[in-house]
Amino acid sequence: MYRECSQLEKAISILEDYVKTYYSEADIGTLTLLIDFLIENNSHVLALHQIEYAAKSVCQSDDELPLHLKAKAVICHAYLGNIEFVENFLMDVESVGTEHCADMITEIGDSLREHQYFDAALKFYLKLEHTAGEDNGNLHLKIAQCYASKMERGHAISFFYKAFLLISLEGKEDEAIGVLSPPKDLEQISNLDSQAKSWWLNGKIRLQLGKIYHAKDMLKDFVDAIFSCIKETLTIEILNQKVKSKKKLTKSMLVERAKLLDEKQTANVFQGFKPITTASDLVKASRAKKSLQKKAVIREEKKATALATGMDWQSEISEDETPRKSPQQPPLPEFLKNEEHYQLIIDLCRALASLRQYSDALEVILLTLRLTNSTISDKQKEELRALEIAYNTMDPKYGYGFARNIVRQHPHSMAAWNCYYKVVSRFGSRFKKHPKFLHHMRTQKDCVPPMIMLGHQFTMLSQHQSASREYLEAYKLQPENPLINLCVGTALINLALGHRLRNKHQCIAQGLAFLYNYLRICNDSQDAMYNIARAYQHVGLVTLAVSYYEKVLTTQEKDHPIPRLPYEENFLASDNYHPGFCSLHREAAYNLHLIYKKSGAVDLARQILKQYCNP
């Protein structure tokens, strides 16, 4: 009870009095408890005296001293600097078997590690590596810490990684983070070299630490853990591809090939002829000869330049003979050959986007797509390109090419064209590549989206006849599309109001026919009636316009969410709209008041504004 109340000296005093007073009744358990308290109180000399007393009075001989008391003696001697007792105890352990004294071995190892006897501590820990069972994770952690303190970085990383795997499987995520995170007290490793100081930056360790952070939704820590590691891996893999693919022939190899053109076959009856060989070998020989001649010209020019400037010229040195660079070892070898790692890249890009680090996310995507030896499928590449378009909407010059590629792959997909137009709209009206691309896609006779977009382009240029032609081509393919019917109707009405058209009334009638078809498809919706009223007002049929504006004012429209592309749900802030933002009451009332005002009904116009257009 005294010990639990942190009154350790009082507890020791009670036990010492008991041993002195009732020495004949004191058993080994009482003495062990007293020794434990003395060691805990850092009274190691007194603890050794009690161990000697136990050997004489209770056990009657040093040889018969229980093994656990010998372990206590080793701990005391280690604290006092007498490390030679450790070897003797290890011999006793080997005779008994580590499985019977695992706790004692761990206790001694912890004590030795605490007093910075790392070599001795490792001898004890390593004996338990295959017998520790479920506690293997903590044991590997202790071994790794000893190796790290000994500046043996390679062994430290190996055991840190083993410790993490076991600890994480036991559900100890917080403890695993502590295992893999950098040391808090960096002053203890100030004497290490640059590589040993950064053992915690090992690729495998950073990868596992990142997975833990991602599982705990710690996005900032997740990005900090693996972004630089993955980026470096992808960069090195791309460079390695270039090294492997670049086959630079040395000068000696070129000479051997060129000899084929000048070789004479003295043992052949056909003297003076070129050797009989394959056409491909002759082509290679010809190329080699031309390459040697070109190199000779360059070498002579360098020699003349060097002599003119007074520099030494070493003609025997050839830059062709320099060895090629060998491939580098990335932090995460063969990273993209694992399907799980591909998903990790997707998670990293989304985390970067959530932190508004769009340029970093784009860099990772571009590096991933450039790798040709990965196992990324076409579907996965398309997903990466879709993410790239999403992040590139803020800077369209990078996203246009990929948006265009997706449209080429899916020319009939409205979602693909929406992504494309999202990027193009940020360039403004003077983007020359856009019309050219539309005309190229327009060659596909069954592709509706470029027809509609070309019609929009002509409409913005007030070329309503060309716009009508494009819209009508789209109408042939999709006659029940409400947008196409609306576009055809408005284009024909705008065309009828021009000066060159002769059959204006027929054109207006045709335009209104398409608008009424649009009204039918939309089931007499509010916006369809508003567009018909606006068309009547535009051509001067105000009486009909008033009737449809009044229908708009008596129709209630439910609010609908603003359409967005799939990726925008994650990266765009939600918009705050007032109730009724989908209703066209204000627009219809404003146009209706203009008609009333022009006709002289000022009071009626004022009443409409007051009723519908007040803030």
Side-chain angles (χ1 to χ4, degrees):
M1 290 179 64
Y2 275 121
R3 186 200 176 283
E4 291 178 359
C5 296
S6 300
Q7 298 185 36
L8 191 58
E9 293 183 356
K10 185 69 174 176
I12 292 173
S13 177
I14 291 175
L15 286 174
E16 287 179 338
D17 291 342
Y18 176 79
V19 171
K20 291 178 182 178
T21 305
Y22 304 98
Y23 60 90
S24 59
E25 300 178 9
D27 58 3
I28 195 67
T30 305
L31 289 171
T32 301
L33 185 61
L34 175 58
I35 293 167
D36 288 336
F37 284 1
L38 290 170
I39 293 175
E40 186 177 353
N41 197 43
N42 290 328
S43 302
H44 295 86
V45 176
L46 295 177
L48 283 174
H49 290 328
Q50 293 296 336
I51 293 172
E52 293 174 359
Y53 174 77
K56 295 178 181 179
S57 60
V58 179
C59 302
Q60 303 298 324
S61 173
D62 290 341
D63 296 335
E64 297 179 2
L65 192 66
L67 190 63
H68 73 278
L69 285 183
K70 289 184 179 181
K72 305 294 182 184
V74 171
I75 293 173
C76 294
H77 283 297
Y79 179 84
L80 298 174
N82 304 324
I83 199 67
E84 63 273 7
F85 287 88
V86 173
E87 298 294 338
N88 296 331
F89 184 78
L90 282 174
M91 296 175 63
D92 294 335
V93 167
E94 291 178 356
S95 62
V96 176
T98 56
E99 64 276 5
H100 300 294
C101 53
D103 293 338
M104 287 181 286
I105 294 175
T106 302
E107 186 180 5
I108 294 175
D110 293 345
S111 179
L112 293 170
R113 181 169 59 89
E114 181 181 355
H115 294 99
Q116 299 185 1
Y117 296 117
F118 301 114
D119 290 320
L122 282 172
K123 292 180 180 180
F124 282 86
Y125 288 145
L126 292 174
K127 284 191 172 296
L128 295 176
E129 186 180 0
H130 302 292
T131 60
E134 295 181 356
D135 199 38
N136 239 353
N138 293 323
L139 175 64
H140 287 148
L141 173 59
K142 295 174 182 178
I143 295 174
Q145 290 172 342
C146 288
Y147 277 122
S149 300
K150 284 166 51 62
M151 307 181 191
E152 296 184 16
R153 179 175 177 268
H155 290 94
I157 289 176
S158 175
F159 280 97
F160 269 121
Y161 188 64
K162 291 179 181 179
F164 160 75
L165 291 177
L166 292 167
I167 290 175
S168 63
L169 290 175
E170 295 168 9
K172 303 177 181 179
E173 289 84 1
D174 294 333
E175 190 172 350
I177 291 175
V179 171
L180 302 178
S181 298
K184 294 181 179 180
D185 188 6
L186 297 179
E187 294 181 357
Q188 295 181 356
I189 57 172
S190 59
N191 295 327
L192 300 178
D193 57 25
S194 58
Q195 291 185 342
K197 285 181 181 178
S198 57
W199 58 262
W200 55 88
L201 296 179
N202 176 267
K204 292 183 178 180
I205 291 180
R206 305 310 296 168
L207 186 63
Q208 300 301 332
L209 183 60
K211 290 179 180 179
I212 297 176
Y213 283 135
H214 185 266
K216 296 172 70 68
D217 292 329
M218 301 169 66
L219 296 185
K220 182 65 170 62
D221 297 312
F222 168 63
V223 170
D224 292 340
I226 69 169
F227 170 65
S228 59
C229 183
I230 290 181
K231 177 183 173 182
E232 183 181 357
T233 296
L234 297 175
T235 303
I236 293 177
E237 289 289 357
I238 291 174
L239 294 175
N240 288 344
Q241 282 185 357
K242 293 181 178 179
V243 171
K244 293 177 182 178
S245 61
K246 186 177 180 182
K247 298 180 179 179
K248 187 175 181 181
L249 298 176
T250 62
K251 183 179 178 180
S252 57
M253 296 173 66
L254 292 173
V255 171
E256 289 296 325
R257 288 190 177 185
K259 284 181 179 179
L260 189 61
L261 297 176
D262 302 325
E263 191 177 43
K264 307 296 182 181
Q265 297 185 15
T266 56
N268 199 318
V269 294
F270 300 100
Q271 298 295 328
F273 289 92
K274 293 181 179 180
I276 301 175
T277 184
T278 61
S280 60
D281 289 339
L282 289 174
V283 171
K284 291 180 181 179
S286 178
R287 289 177 180 174
K289 187 174 183 179
K290 291 179 180 179
S291 179
L292 286 172
Q293 292 172 351
K294 183 177 179 180
K295 291 179 182 295
V297 173
I298 295 175
R299 185 168 59 254
E300 290 298 326
E301 291 178 353
K302 289 182 178 180
K303 179 180 179 180
T305 304
L307 295 176
T309 55
M311 298 175 61
D312 294 334
W313 171 253
Q314 296 179 348
S315 59
E316 297 300 325
I317 298 178
S318 175
E319 64 276 5
D320 294 341
E321 303 298 333
T322 56
R324 293 190 296 120
K325 294 181 179 179
S326 59
Q328 302 180 40
Q329 183 71 12
L332 299 169
E334 300 183 350
F335 179 68
L336 284 181
K337 292 187 177 180
N338 190 327
E339 180 72 19
E340 180 184 355
H341 293 165
Y342 162 76
Q343 185 58 44
L344 189 66
I345 289 181
I346 298 294
D347 295 336
L348 173 61
C349 293
R350 289 173 176 167
L352 288 167
S354 299
L355 299 173
R356 299 186 180 278
Q357 297 178 225
Y358 298 107
S359 59
D360 293 333
L362 285 170
E363 189 174 8
V364 172
I365 293 174
L366 290 172
L367 290 173
T368 305
L369 292 173
R370 287 178 62 187
L371 284 172
T372 58
N373 62 348
S374 63
T375 57
I376 299 179
S377 64
D378 293 337
K379 182 178 179 181
Q380 293 168 342
K381 290 181 180 179
E382 183 177 339
E383 184 177 359
L384 282 174
R385 291 192 177 102
L387 285 176
E388 183 167 6
I389 293 174
Y391 306 149
N392 267 318
T393 53
M394 303 304 294
D395 191 359
K397 66 180 181 179
Y398 293 110
Y400 175 74
F402 292 96
R404 186 176 57 182
N405 290 336
I406 287 184
V407 168
R408 283 175 173 171
Q409 294 174 9
H410 307 281
H412 301 284
S413 171
M414 294 302 295
W417 281 101
N418 283 336
C419 292
Y420 170 82
Y421 210 81
K422 199 87 171 181
V423 177
V424 172
S425 61
R426 295 185 178 274
F427 285 100
S429 58
R430 297 183 179 179
F431 183 52
K432 297 180 180 179
K433 292 183 179 180
H434 174 52
K436 293 180 180 179
F437 178 67
L438 282 183
H439 283 289
H440 170 71
M441 295 300 296
R442 182 65 178 82
T443 56
Q444 300 187 29
K445 300 299 183 181
D446 60 342
C447 191
V448 173
M451 299 177 186
I452 298 175
M453 294 173 70
L454 271 176
H456 293 344
Q457 293 285 329
F458 288 128
T459 299
M460 288 190 293
L461 297 174
S462 297
Q463 298 178 11
H464 301 296
Q465 186 173 2
S466 299
S468 300
R469 183 176 61 250
E470 294 297 330
Y471 291 141
L472 286 171
E473 289 293 329
Y475 174 79
K476 293 178 183 179
L477 297 173
Q478 297 182 8
E480 293 299 310
N481 188 313
L483 174 62
I484 294 176
N485 280 273
L486 174 62
C487 291
V488 174
T490 55
L492 290 174
I493 289 175
N494 286 324
L495 178 62
L497 297 178
H499 298 289
R500 298 181 179 180
L501 193 67
R502 294 181 180 180
N503 54 344
K504 293 185 179 182
H505 297 292
Q506 181 183 355
C507 191
I508 289 176
Q510 289 175 342
L512 289 172
F514 278 101
L515 290 179
Y516 275 101
N517 197 32
Y518 161 62
L519 179 65
R520 175 187 60 81
I521 296 172
C522 295
N523 299 319
D524 297 336
S525 64
Q526 188 188 63
D527 64 316
M529 288 188 291
Y530 175 83
N531 283 316
I532 289 180
R534 184 69 187 87
Y536 279 130
Q537 183 183 5
H538 191 50
V539 298
L541 301 175
V542 293
T543 303
L544 295 173
V546 168
S547 65
Y548 276 95
Y549 279 136
E550 289 176 347
K551 289 181 181 180
V552 172
L553 294 177
T554 58
T555 304
Q556 299 296 327
E557 185 72 21
K558 295 181 179 180
D559 290 338
H560 301 282
I562 300 298
R564 287 177 177 171
L565 297 176
Y567 60 81
E568 292 177 325
E569 296 294 334
N570 298 325
F571 309 122
L572 296 181
S574 60
D575 301 312
N576 295 321
Y577 293 101
H578 298 289
F581 68 89
C582 285
S583 177
L584 294 172
H585 284 174
R586 292 169 62 88
E587 290 79 0
Y590 181 79
N591 291 341
L592 188 57
H593 114 278
L594 292 177
I595 296 175
Y596 287 150
K597 185 177 179 180
K598 188 175 182 180
S599 64
V602 180
D603 293 338
L604 190 56
R606 186 183 297 112
Q607 181 183 349
I608 290 292
L609 285 179
K610 184 178 180 181
Q611 182 177 356
Y612 291 99
C613 297
N614 277 339

